[in-house]
Amino acid sequence: MEVNVELRCSDTKRTEHIKITVNDWDSKCVKDLKEIFEKEIQVPCCDQKLYYQGRQFGNDNSFPIVKLYFREGDTVNLECISQGNLKEVKNLLKDIKEFSDFIFSKDQTELLTVNELTQDDGISYLNYDHVGEALELLSFEYFIPWKNLKSVVHRHYFVQEGGFDSFMEVLKFANKRYSLDGSLMARKYLGECNKGDLDVLENHLKMLNDQQMQLHAHCLSLLWNFSETWHDRRLLIQKGGLPYVVKALLADPDGYSTSSEEYWEVARINETAVGCLVQYAEFPDCQEVIARSSKTVNKLIFMMATSRNFSFPLDVRHSTTYSKYASQIAANTLFCCACSLETPKILVENGMHKKMINLMKEANINDMATSYYCTLFLARIRSSALVQLDPETAQNIDDLIVVFLEEYSPTEVSTWEERHNYVWVTMIPFVSLAFSGKQFGGERPGLDYKKSEKEGGNHCHSGKHADSASCDPGSCIKGPTLIPRMPGSSETQQLGLFTLEHMLHSSENRQLVDGEHLLPYLHCLCWYVDSEDGRVLKEELTKHWTPSPAPLKIICKSSLAFQHGFEVAFKM
């Protein structure tokens, strides 16, 4: 039977009419029809919404289409987000599945052991070329750019066809390394091996591990570029992939000479792993896992300190193992780790805040993005209701916030994040900062912006915080009036307002504000900041939303947010 298909794609906003011949119509079910459309129109089955005579019928894949009483020449409406290049993705997926099936069917301990039998003139019987090329092409040709619906379609098809499960087997295998047979090692130490034969085997071992490390880097690149949306990221966590990312991050290049290829290959694996890790560090369950691992958070600090973004005037031998972008992502990962209710306390117990303060005070940070995420990390510590800081530490953090606000503008941060296609999954940590620092019962220190950006200046502030740390809600300081100590400081609030201004530039971030029901809180926030800050925030909000009064419940929770922290009040 010939079927007229009216195709509507979200990305093009166009309607296209296509004729498709369906053989053996009476024996087909909805699943069969979707598979035909997938092949002919290049839309994954999972993305198809099918309608006939105005009614959707594609939810039950086993439904016999003969029961639709479809007539020759009738039209099926197909709605989708985009058409993809599914034929090409399917061919690449085939190479990954073949590699996965092979390693899964073998004893991997035996597979990864080098002995006389595996010399074979230095050639492995594992074919790395095809799987490596497939991973690389999927990573850089089909899964990106982000914020592109065709890329989303390719990722959906990859999961639908079992590609992610096969990929996970390859990732687990890529985390392992080849080793010499134990009996060979014993003979080596006993001096019973022919040196020439041993040299051949060790060269073979090096070649195999070079291939294995390249495979590892390809796997991490694919994972990084795959993990755009909330659902993409949760999939990796559900499949138990987070420990493999952390293990790749913790691989130590210092096991090799700095002049060797292996050293820089391991550093590349570290850099790609941190690009993956930052995607998952926005989830509360992952934040605590990362924050509790002192090895992980210290490695992030180390990657920043040994990058090109930091220079140490007193250390002429400063190492620059890691790239500028890796340092930026490491700083962002630390900030994300501090974005749950409990993790700032964990990070302070591990002394991470003091390590960050010392790093920022001792080094020259030659990069806006790194400076921004480091400052955000410290601001989250400073504004936590569960953290008590000594006055000197609190003052140091506030001073570093002042330095950042005096040097950079919200537009610079927005431009940088847009250029790097940043995708956030929550706005709550940024709103939380803006709800820190209010003092009740006394005059709040004046908070001034410098020249507005329209006049060519950057946002900053002046003023001093109370000589206190973040303390338990309800404690007070003495003065003309009793002033309850609240989480944060005037500086953390100014940084929060700075972040809101740049975040609201992005339509995706504004969708998050709507989706997380944060808009009424932002309207309330306008009342609690000083008049100029309130005016600027209100103007920004009215650019994108119609003003509406906040419910009484939100008004009360907004007030409580300053005393107990926004995250606590938000969940009340």
Side-chain angles (χ1 to χ4, degrees):
M1 179 180 290
E2 192 173 76
V3 178
N4 293 319
V5 180
E6 186 175 280
L7 175 67
R8 286 191 292 252
C9 297
S10 301
D11 59 344
T12 62
K13 309 294 184 187
R14 294 198 304 266
T15 299
E16 186 178 352
H17 295 275
I18 304 167
K19 290 186 183 293
I20 294 176
T21 300
V22 180
N23 297 318
D24 302 320
W25 176 270
D26 292 348
S27 65
K28 295 288 192 291
C29 62
V30 167
K31 182 175 181 290
D32 299 322
L33 191 62
K34 285 184 175 180
E35 288 174 350
I36 292 169
F37 290 168
E38 178 180 277
K39 181 180 179 181
E40 298 295 330
I41 306 177
Q42 297 290 283
V43 175
C45 295
C46 60
D47 284 348
Q48 295 179 26
K49 291 184 179 179
L50 302 179
Y51 299 86
Y52 176 57
Q53 294 183 343
R55 296 179 63 182
Q56 188 171 357
F57 69 89
N59 292 332
D60 182 1
N61 281 334
S62 62
F63 184 79
I65 56 178
V66 70
K67 291 187 178 181
L68 292 174
Y69 303 107
F70 194 90
R71 296 166 297 182
E72 187 84 30
D74 279 358
T75 298
V76 172
N77 299 95
L78 193 164
E79 293 181 358
C80 64
I81 57 175
S82 181
Q83 293 173 275
N85 298 317
L86 305 189
K87 292 177 182 176
E88 292 92 333
V89 173
K90 188 172 185 176
N91 288 333
L92 297 173
L93 184 53
K94 179 173 174 286
D95 290 330
I96 294 174
K97 284 186 172 182
E98 285 179 355
F99 190 91
S100 171
D101 291 344
F102 180 81
I103 59 176
F104 189 75
S105 68
K106 299 292 181 181
D107 180 336
Q108 292 190 8
T109 301
E110 182 179 332
L111 195 63
L112 291 165
T113 299
V114 175
N115 53 43
E116 290 97 335
L117 298 176
T118 56
Q119 285 186 52
D120 194 23
D121 296 325
I123 297 177
S124 168
Y125 55 88
L126 266 177
N127 190 334
Y128 284 92
D129 292 340
H130 291 169
V131 69
E133 184 180 5
L135 291 166
E136 186 172 21
L137 286 171
L138 285 169
S139 301
F140 297 105
E141 298 293 332
Y142 295 95
F143 290 173
I144 58 172
W146 283 5
K147 303 182 183 181
N148 178 287
L149 291 179
K150 184 167 284 193
S151 301
V152 174
V153 165
H154 293 149
R155 295 197 297 270
H156 286 179
Y157 181 70
F158 183 74
V159 174
Q160 173 193 291
E161 295 301 299
F164 197 84
D165 290 329
S166 295
F167 163 75
M168 283 301 299
E169 293 300 324
V170 180
L171 174 64
K172 293 173 188 177
F173 178 76
N175 263 272
K176 302 175 182 179
R177 295 293 177 264
Y178 287 88
S179 62
L180 285 176
D181 181 84
S183 63
L184 279 172
M185 294 298 294
R187 287 161 54 195
K188 173 185 176 182
Y189 291 119
L190 291 171
E192 297 175 359
C193 273
N194 180 288
K195 188 177 185 307
D197 291 343
L198 190 60
D199 288 344
V200 170
L201 282 173
E202 289 182 336
N203 287 334
H204 184 46
L205 176 68
K206 178 183 180 300
M207 184 274 294
L208 289 173
N209 276 328
D210 285 347
Q211 290 183 313
Q212 192 74 348
M213 284 193 280
Q214 289 170 25
L215 177 68
H216 200 180
H218 285 317
C219 284
L220 293 167
S221 293
L222 183 140
L223 197 55
W224 184 352
N225 289 338
F226 178 88
S227 301
E228 175 184 2
T229 69
W230 186 94
H231 295 287
D232 298 333
R233 298 175 189 183
R234 279 318 293 183
L235 180 62
L236 180 279
I237 296 167
Q238 290 163 3
K239 297 290 185 181
L242 183 61
Y244 297 100
V245 174
V246 172
K247 183 179 177 182
L249 176 72
L250 296 178
D252 187 4
D254 286 337
Y256 303 93
S257 164
T258 54
S259 61
S260 68
E261 293 179 3
E262 291 92 341
Y263 179 92
W264 296 105
E265 193 64 47
V266 175
R268 177 191 170 202
I269 287 171
N270 294 159
E271 293 183 343
T272 318
V274 78
C276 299
L277 189 63
V278 71
Q279 315 299 333
Y280 317 120
E282 284 190 79
F283 294 111
D285 50 343
C286 296
Q287 289 163 348
E288 189 161 341
V289 169
I290 298 168
R292 288 191 183 280
S293 170
S294 60
K295 288 183 179 180
T296 304
V297 289
N298 276 293
K299 181 62 177 273
L300 294 170
I301 288 277
F302 177 76
M303 289 182 72
M304 291 162 48
T306 54
S307 75
R308 300 178 186 92
N309 288 347
F310 286 77
S311 58
F312 295 81
L314 301 179
D315 184 4
V316 295
R317 296 176 300 166
H318 173 234
S319 168
T320 55
T321 299
Y322 297 105
S323 68
K324 178 178 179 180
Y325 194 44
S327 172
Q328 294 164 342
I329 301 169
N332 191 8
T333 306
L334 281 168
F335 159 62
C336 290
C337 285
C339 285
S340 79
L341 190 62
E342 298 290 338
T343 50
K345 183 179 179 182
I346 297 168
L347 291 162
V348 167
E349 289 170 352
N350 289 334
M352 297 310 300
H353 63 309
K354 291 194 175 180
K355 290 184 180 181
M356 181 67 84
I357 290 169
N358 291 337
L359 182 62
M360 294 181 72
K361 290 176 72 175
E362 293 171 6
N364 297 323
I365 304 181
N366 310 313
D367 172 66
M368 180 274 299
T370 304
S371 180
Y372 175 57
Y373 297 121
C374 290
T375 306
L376 280 178
F377 169 78
L378 291 175
R380 281 291 303 182
I381 300 292
R382 178 76 173 90
S383 61
S384 170
L386 301 182
V387 170
Q388 295 186 8
L389 299 174
D390 62 84
E392 182 182 357
T393 300
Q395 181 69 66
N396 282 333
I397 292 175
D398 288 342
D399 290 345
L400 289 168
I401 293 172
V402 171
V403 169
F404 175 81
L405 292 173
E406 286 178 341
E407 188 165 355
Y408 299 108
S409 71
T411 300
E412 289 176 277
V413 180
S414 297
T415 301
W416 187 88
E417 289 198 349
E418 287 168 11
R419 189 168 70 247
H420 290 85
N421 282 321
Y422 256 58
V423 176
W424 297 94
V425 298
T426 179
M427 288 292 105
I428 289 175
F430 304 100
V431 175
S432 178
L433 277 180
F435 271 93
S436 67
K438 182 176 174 59
Q439 298 180 14
F440 292 88
E443 177 122 3
R444 192 163 66 86
L447 301 176
D448 301 320
Y449 275 173
K450 287 201 306 185
K451 298 176 184 178
S452 70
E453 289 191 87
K454 292 179 181 176
E455 298 172 337
N458 299 335
H459 286 289
C460 88
H461 70 281
S462 62
K464 298 290 287 183
H465 64 85
D467 290 331
S468 66
S470 298
C471 295
D472 295 331
S475 62
C476 301
I477 61 174
K478 292 181 179 181
T481 57
L482 290 178
I483 305 176
R485 289 175 172 174
M486 303 302 172
S489 62
S490 59
E491 285 81 2
T492 60
Q493 184 176 66
Q494 282 297 297
L495 183 61
L497 293 169
F498 176 102
T499 65
L500 286 179
E501 184 171 343
H502 98 73
M503 282 291 184
L504 293 177
H505 281 241
S506 162
S507 61
E508 289 85 3
N509 292 340
R510 294 195 297 271
Q511 289 172 15
L512 283 175
V513 169
D514 284 330
E516 295 183 292
H517 309 292
L518 296 172
L519 184 59
Y521 293 95
L522 297 182
H523 284 303
C524 292
L525 180 62
C526 297
W527 310 336
Y528 291 104
V529 297
D530 69 26
S531 57
E532 179 59 19
D533 292 335
R535 182 191 65 77
V536 171
L537 178 57
K538 190 177 294 184
E539 282 184 2
E540 194 65 34
L541 295 176
T542 53
K543 285 180 187 176
H544 311 292
W545 292 281
T546 302
S548 59
L552 179 59
K553 178 182 177 181
I554 302 297
I555 295 172
C556 295
K557 288 168 73 173
S558 296
S559 180
L560 290 170
F562 287 101
Q563 183 173 356
H564 301 287
F566 181 78
E567 286 94 338
V568 173
F570 185 65
K571 294 177 180 178
M572 287 179 177

